[in-house]
Amino acid sequence: MTALGPERPRGWSRPSPPSARRVRSLLLLLALGLCGCAASRSGNEASAGIELIPVGRYDFEAQPTGDPALLAEELSGIVWIGGEQYLTVGDDHASVHQLTIHLDPVTGRVVDAQFRTPVRLADPSGTVIPDSLGSDREGIAFIPQTHEVWISNEHTEGDQSRSSLARHRLRDGRMLELVRTDGTSMLRIFSRQRLNGGFEALARTADGSTYWVANEMPLSIDGEPATDSTGGIVRLQRLDGQMRPLRQYAYDLDPYLAKIQSPPQLAGFAVSGLSELLVLEGEKLLGLERSFAGDSTGNANLRVRLYEIDLRGATDVGVLGWAEGLKGRSYRTVTKRLLWQENFGLTTSNFEGMTLGPTLENGDRSLILIADNNGGRSEALYVLRVRGLRS
């Protein structure tokens, strides 16, 4: 493929196709006896633009529930709705969880976090969505005017080959609208997703005029998944306030560091993808890339990277035609600037959701990450401060 944007490796070779849920299960089993994490940070050394300052991690437990479908587990999306209140959604149950997070207004560190009453999601008729259809809800965006949420889903009513976007009323969880990817619009390209590689990220501008969604891993017609030597391409999809698709941009995924050699049960299960987006200002986004792969010694490791994404000058690949894909096409990708990264080892640190939170006393904005815990009650948050972001 001819690239007009930042140079990236070519000649992708796909690893043995893993099941994302299988990877998480193996990770959890092996992590039970492990503790600690190896940290590796890379800060922003540029004088212009925003800067991310790590505050730290906060671990806590969700309250037990009598109904497993209401347990706050495998949380993959989080959104701030004002004050100390947040909403989260997980990729195992069809529920939205209300979460109170008390931040120190000076340092930004988490003082306390507690879940409140969850909202069970329902279909358009008001019938509660069964737990058998509860999996793979990944991102969440809040509509304050109507007290509703949009939720991105790697499935569509049980169809694992197509992603969708659903609007739900928080009062009773009822679905009010469903945006599919099997129609005639440019969203149709996302019907070529890989299993568990569909709509992961979801973001909304403060005024609700624009939404963003992205696939986690490359579409089958756009190239192979990232490896330890080559990256991959995913698509950033811009939509208007009515969820009508506008433009698409190509985004370069990083290669992961190394194949997994230890523990040997996880060899061949390395994966990497774009997990979340946030709107910054102007034509810039914040992107969360997450990989489960080997570290410099081949030990299984969870790595999180946060990038400032600049859309200026990027090609609208949505006009290139949906059926052919991007292999062999000429286009300019978005540019990205690394702001922060952390290596967490093999721990409960699968951070894949993020939200901007309250402004701190010094003017920095809080940024909160939430981890998919692969099941159970143990939860993890990670907080950073965003400096240089205009309110």
Side-chain angles (χ1 to χ4, degrees), residues 251-325:
Y251 175 96
D252 273 305
L253 286 172
D254 294 340
Y256 51 77
L257 182 60
K259 295 181 174 65
I260 299 173
Q261 298 179 23
S262 178
Q265 298 94 321
L266 295 180
F269 283 98
V271 292
S272 182
L274 179 66
S275 181
E276 188 61 285
L277 293 171
L278 286 180
V279 179
L280 294 177
E281 51 194 21
E283 290 293 291
K284 292 186 177 181
L285 304 170
L286 184 67
L288 188 161
E289 283 193 46
R290 174 211 47 201
S291 67
F292 173 61
D295 62 13
S296 59
T297 62
N299 290 316
N301 175 60
L302 281 159
R303 183 186 71 184
V304 174
R305 288 182 169 182
L306 296 178
Y307 280 100
E308 181 185 67
I309 302 169
D310 195 332
L311 304 165
R312 293 173 297 182
T315 302
D316 177 5
V317 297
V319 302
L320 298 181
W322 83 270
E324 297 84 2

Side-chain angles (χ1 to χ4, degrees), residues 197-233:
F199 284 171
E200 184 91 6
L202 178 62
R204 177 185 185 269
T205 57
D207 63 2
S209 63
T210 304
Y211 287 84
W212 288 92
V213 69
N215 50 309
E216 181 183 12
M217 294 188 291
L219 303 175
S220 60
I221 58 175
D222 285 345
E224 296 300 318
T227 70
D228 60 331
S229 59
T230 58
I233 284 288

Side-chain angles (χ1 to χ4, degrees), residues 89-384:
V89 68
D91 61 10
D92 196 36
H93 309 298
S95 299
V96 170
H97 300 274
Q98 302 178 81
L99 175 62
T100 299
I101 303 175
H102 175 47
L103 298 179
D104 184 302
V106 177
T107 65
R109 69 180 181 85
V110 178
V111 177
D112 184 61
Q114 290 187 355
F115 288 101
R116 297 185 294 116
T117 306
V119 178
R120 189 76 181 269
L121 299 179
D123 65 19
S125 71
T127 302
V128 169
I129 297 173
D131 216 29
S132 60
L133 297 178
S135 61
D136 285 330
R137 287 168 176 82
E138 303 286 356
I140 186 169
F142 178 61
I143 310 172
Q145 297 85 352
T146 58
H147 213 60
E148 298 166 355
V149 291
W150 279 101
I151 296 173
S152 59
N153 194 335
E154 289 185 319
H155 297 176
T156 301
E157 299 174 332
D159 181 355
Q160 298 184 22
S161 66
R162 293 179 177 85
S163 291
S164 60
L165 300 164
R167 181 166 58 92
H168 289 265
R169 186 168 57 199
L170 284 174
R171 174 167 55 84
D172 56 6
R174 188 168 185 162
M175 184 190 297
L176 304 176
E177 184 177 357
L178 181 67
V179 177
R180 306 175 64 96
T181 55
D182 53 2
T184 59
S185 74
M186 71 172 66
L187 293 180
R188 189 178 177 188
I189 190 73
F190 293 105
S191 66
R192 307 298 290 272
Q193 72 180 43
R194 287 183 161 86
L195 184 64
N196 291 314
F199 284 171
E200 184 91 6
L202 178 62
R204 177 185 185 269
T205 57
D207 63 2
S209 63
T210 304
Y211 287 84
W212 288 92
V213 69
N215 50 309
E216 181 183 12
M217 294 188 291
L219 303 175
S220 60
I221 58 175
D222 285 345
E224 296 300 318
T227 70
D228 60 331
S229 59
T230 58
I233 284 288
V234 297
R235 298 185 184 224
L236 312 181
Q237 174 69 60
R238 179 180 242 155
L239 306 104
D240 67 13
Q242 287 71 51
M243 284 297 182
R244 293 175 297 210
L246 298 175
R247 291 179 290 281
Q248 286 177 9
Y249 302 96
Y251 175 96
D252 273 305
L253 286 172
D254 294 340
Y256 51 77
L257 182 60
K259 295 181 174 65
I260 299 173
Q261 298 179 23
S262 178
Q265 298 94 321
L266 295 180
F269 283 98
V271 292
S272 182
L274 179 66
S275 181
E276 188 61 285
L277 293 171
L278 286 180
V279 179
L280 294 177
E281 51 194 21
E283 290 293 291
K284 292 186 177 181
L285 304 170
L286 184 67
L288 188 161
E289 283 193 46
R290 174 211 47 201
S291 67
F292 173 61
D295 62 13
S296 59
T297 62
N299 290 316
N301 175 60
L302 281 159
R303 183 186 71 184
V304 174
R305 288 182 169 182
L306 296 178
Y307 280 100
E308 181 185 67
I309 302 169
D310 195 332
L311 304 165
R312 293 173 297 182
T315 302
D316 177 5
V317 297
V319 302
L320 298 181
W322 83 270
E324 297 84 2
L326 297 178
K327 287 189 269 189
R329 311 294 287 272
S330 296
Y331 57 88
R332 187 183 295 274
T333 63
V334 301
T335 57
K336 64 181 191 178
R337 179 170 67 99
L338 181 63
L339 299 177
W340 176 82
Q341 69 174 338
E342 185 84 31
N343 294 308
F344 290 98
L346 189 58
T347 60
T348 306
S349 307
N350 186 18
F351 293 101
E352 58 178 47
M354 67 176 174
T355 184
L356 289 170
T359 300
L360 304 175
E361 287 188 0
N362 69 346
D364 290 351
R365 191 76 183 270
S366 55
L367 176 68
I368 301 173
L369 313 184
I370 195 165
D372 180 339
N373 66 0
N374 196 52
R377 295 170 51 198
S378 297
E379 310 286 353
L381 302 171
Y382 197 98
V383 180
L384 301 99

